Amino acid sequence: MRDAAGCADYIELAKLAHWLKGSGETVGFAIFTAPAAQLERLAKAEQTDQVASALVALAGLADRIVLPEPARSANVPG
């Protein structure tokens, strides 16, 4: 998304935002739905400054994701 925005490729950015809008909720991250929808609208309108702000907001949400530690098998010494 950052690359598309940096190249002013608003068509690609809108496509990626649309993907995130649907996919985020599908995998349990519904918190991305509204910001991704907003980014899609902004990209389609080529609102450069607002696109940058929307990307910062989405990056902030992504930074909050914490991946769990892999489960250790009872048969693996450790």
Side-chain angles (χ1 to χ4, degrees):
M1 289 183 174
R2 289 182 189 134
D3 289 345
C7 295
D9 187 348
Y10 295 109
I11 293 170
E12 181 65 14
L13 181 58
K15 287 178 187 177
L16 292 168
H18 181 81
W19 171 85
L20 180 59
K21 180 177 68 176
S23 298
E25 190 162 349
T26 299
V27 296
F29 291 104
I31 195 160
F32 285 100
T33 303
Q38 178 185 16
L39 177 59
E40 182 181 11
R41 285 190 301 275
L42 294 170
K44 287 179 178 178
E46 298 185 13
Q47 298 292 316
T48 305
D49 292 338
Q50 292 175 337
V51 161
S53 296
L55 285 171
V56 169
L58 282 169
L61 290 174
D63 288 343
R64 293 174 42 198
I65 296 173
V66 177
L67 298 176
E69 292 288 326
R72 294 178 66 180
S73 172
N75 297 329
V76 177

